[in-house]
Amino acid sequence: LTTNFVDVDKFAAAAEDLFDEDLGCSFTWTEPTEINDIIVRLLETIEGVLYSSLDTGKIVLELIRPVDPESLPLVTDKQAGIDFTLEISDPNNCVGEVRIPYFDVEKNTEATGLAQSITNRTRNGAATSVTIELLGVADADAANRCATREWAQLVEPPNRGTLRANRELYNFTVGTAFRLTWEPHRIEEEVWRVLEIDHGTIDNGMIEMKVAQDRAPSDDPQLGAVATTI
C-alpha cells in the first residue's frame, strides 16, 4: 500500500498525540496471525478508527478522544428526513473494576493496570471485575490510562441507538462525534458517536448508523498502584 492511498497528515497527527499520551505500542509478532486481526487489536489499544475518506478516497486514522461539545454538529428530531431509535442500557450490567494485564518491558515483569469505581463498589458491595487484554501495552502509565478509559465505558454502559438519515449527514464516519437532541426520548445536547455506518445504495440513499453515548473518563475512578503478577 503506497502513501498515495493514506492520509499521511492524519496518521502523523495521531502518532504525535499517542506519543504525548505515552501510549506507544511495543510487541513481538510471533504467531501466524492475519494482519487485519493485528490492526483491529492495535486500534482497540489506542482507541482509534480507520476509514476511507469519501472526499479523498484515502485511508484515515482518527483517535477517539474527549471533544468540545460546542464544536460538534447538532442532530435533532426537528430535522426532516432523520429518524432515531433508542436502546436503553441495563444499569445492572455495570462493573466496578477494570484490569489491564501487560508485560513491563523496563522492569521485565508481568503487571496489571487497574481502575476502580468507588460508586459501584459502594452500591454493589463488591467490585465486579473485568480483565481486558490489549496488544502492545508495555508500561504502567499506558496500562492505567487504558484501564481508566475502558472503565469509563463499562462503569455505566452507555445507551445505544440507530440513526437513519438522508444525505444531509453524508460526511459522518465511524468515530464521528455529534450532539443529539431528541425530545421524544428526553435527550438534550448529549454527545454521541458513530459506531457503525451503512451508506446505503444507489436505489436507497438513506444512511443507517449504529450510535452510542460518548463516555469520557471522569474523576470517579481511583487509579491503584500497579499490581505485580506472580
Side-chain angles (χ1 to χ4, degrees), residues 97-101 112-116 129-133 143 147 227 229:
E97 180 179 276
V98 172
R99 292 176 172 270
I100 305 290
T112 302
L114 175 66
Q116 295 178 323
S129 184
V130 172
T131 298
I132 301 175
E133 303 277 350
T229 304

Side-chain angles (χ1 to χ4, degrees), residues 12-224:
E16 289 183 7
D17 288 341
L18 292 171
F19 179 82
D20 292 339
E21 295 174 357
D22 293 325
L23 201 53
C25 296
S26 175
F27 66 96
T28 302
W29 188 356
T30 59
E31 298 179 358
T33 307
E34 293 290 335
I35 182 63
N36 286 344
D37 293 336
I38 296 293
I39 291 174
V40 169
R41 292 191 62 190
L42 284 174
L43 289 173
E44 291 173 349
T45 299
I46 66 175
E47 197 173 25
V49 294
L50 284 176
Y51 62 88
S52 295
S53 169
L54 295 178
D55 295 322
T56 66
K58 293 185 176 182
I59 298 174
V60 176
L61 172 61
E62 291 278 4
L63 301 178
I64 306 301
R65 296 296 184 270
V67 292
D68 175 13
E70 296 302 320
S71 67
L72 301 177
L74 177 64
V75 176
T76 79
D77 58 295
K78 307 302 182 185
Q79 292 172 260
I82 297 180
D83 179 63
F84 174 68
T85 304
L86 178 66
E87 301 169 18
I88 301 293
S89 65
D90 183 354
N92 295 318
N93 289 335
C94 63
V95 304
E97 180 179 276
V98 172
R99 292 176 172 270
I100 305 290
Y102 69 99
F103 188 83
D104 193 312
V105 176
E106 211 173 282
K107 297 180 180 178
N108 194 34
T109 185
E110 294 181 347
T112 302
L114 175 66
Q116 295 178 323
S117 166
I118 293 177
T119 303
N120 280 1
R121 287 177 67 94
T122 302
R123 180 172 58 195
N124 299 335
T128 303
S129 184
V130 172
T131 298
I132 301 175
E133 303 277 350
L134 293 177
L135 181 65
V137 177
D139 64 68
D141 288 342
N144 277 341
R145 182 185 295 275
C146 291
T148 304
R149 183 191 73 203
E150 299 299 327
W151 171 92
Q153 296 290 334
L154 298 173
V155 67
E156 183 180 346
N159 291 330
R160 296 171 180 260
T162 301
L163 188 65
R164 298 176 183 86
N166 51 30
R167 290 298 174 183
E168 183 179 347
L169 304 182
Y170 83 96
N171 59 337
F172 276 28
T173 63
V174 174
T176 292
F178 61 95
R179 288 175 295 152
L180 180 66
T181 291
W182 209 268
E183 288 187 9
H185 295 309
R186 298 182 181 179
I187 296 174
E188 183 175 358
E189 295 285 327
E190 290 183 357
V191 177
W192 287 60
R193 281 191 189 270
V194 178
L195 303 178
E196 302 175 20
I197 187 165
D198 181 349
H199 286 284
T201 64
I202 295 178
D203 297 328
N204 181 5
M206 290 297 290
I207 301 170
E208 182 171 296
M209 291 171 276
K210 300 297 183 183
V211 298
Q213 281 179 297
D214 190 51
R215 292 280 194 237
S218 68
D219 295 330
D220 188 35
Q222 302 299 305
L223 291 182

